[in-house]
């Protein structure tokens, strides 16, 4: 198997950079992960609130439909003069 010098040097550079910059990159990665977690929690919270609002709306519509089974047709309504 032939040794490919550019690939070998690239691998050595990646390993060395991981050792050198690993401790410096950890706080940055931690901050990015924290921001993403907060964003995800915010989206989940808002979605659950909207889902609850929608279920209340559907329940109210169902209750109205059961108390007034038939609405007055639009053609029979009297319109006020303009």
């Amino acid at each position: 198997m032939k040794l490919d010098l550019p690939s070998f040097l690239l691998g050595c550079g990646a390993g060395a950079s991981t050792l050198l910059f690993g401790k410096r990159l950890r706080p940055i990665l931690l901050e990015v992960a924290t921001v993403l977690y907060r964003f995800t929690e915010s989206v989940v919270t808002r979605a659950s609130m909207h889902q609850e609002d929608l279920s209340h709306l559907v329940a109210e519509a169902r209750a109205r439909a059961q108390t007034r089974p038939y609405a007055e047709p639009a053609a029979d309504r009297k319109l006020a003069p303009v």
Side-chain angles (χ1 to χ4, degrees):
M1 178 180 219
K2 184 180 175 188
L3 177 66
D4 189 30
L5 185 62
S7 296
F8 176 74
L9 292 176
L10 185 63
C12 288
S17 65
T18 301
L19 289 175
L20 293 174
F21 297 116
K23 291 183 181 180
R24 293 183 182 157
L25 287 178
R26 187 178 191 282
I28 295 169
L29 292 175
L30 183 62
E31 190 65 32
V32 168
T34 303
V35 167
L36 288 174
Y37 181 77
R38 287 180 183 163
F39 175 74
T40 304
E41 282 293 313
S42 171
V43 168
V44 169
T45 302
R46 288 182 183 175
S48 65
M49 285 181 187
H50 288 296
Q51 184 179 4
E52 186 177 343
D53 289 344
L54 182 62
S55 66
H56 287 301
L57 182 71
V58 170
E60 185 177 345
R62 184 180 299 132
R64 282 187 182 186
Q66 290 173 354
T67 56
R68 293 188 313 198
Y70 300 104
E72 184 178 303
D76 293 343
R77 293 183 190 157
K78 294 181 180 179
L79 299 175
V82 179

